[in-house]
Amino acid sequence: VGVPHPDLGEAAVAVLAADPGGVDPAELRRRLDAALARYKHPRHVEVVDDLPRNAMGKVQKAALRERLAGLFAPPPGH
């Protein structure tokens, strides 16, 4: 999902539903290096227990964006 970023306007965040310890974000980044150009990589990888879904079973991306909205917020005083 795209979330607000102070320098880029918006940045990609990968949100993965996995068992605790089931996904290593560093390993995921290494695998992405072989498959995608660097500018296409997510700026952050978030591992969650479950993805929010609506009654039809679709992932609620708006809920994810809202939850992650402050992820790239500049530190206080900047």
Side-chain angles (χ1 to χ4, degrees):
V1 296
V3 297
H5 190 284
D7 297 326
L8 304 173
E10 190 173 73
V13 174
V15 183
L16 307 171
D19 294 328
V23 175
D24 177 16
E27 176 62 22
L28 177 64
R29 289 182 188 281
R30 282 192 292 279
R31 289 177 181 237
L32 288 175
D33 278 337
L36 293 174
R38 185 59 131 179
Y39 73 93
K40 294 181 180 181
H41 287 207
R43 295 282 172 165
H44 179 75
V45 176
E46 185 82 14
V47 180
V48 297
D49 293 333
D50 291 308
L51 295 170
R53 296 184 182 272
N54 65 16
M56 298 296 293
K58 292 185 176 184
V59 175
Q60 293 179 317
K61 295 179 202 166
L64 290 172
R65 284 186 197 98
E66 185 177 313
R67 180 173 153 187
L68 299 168
L71 184 65
F72 298 111
H78 284 99

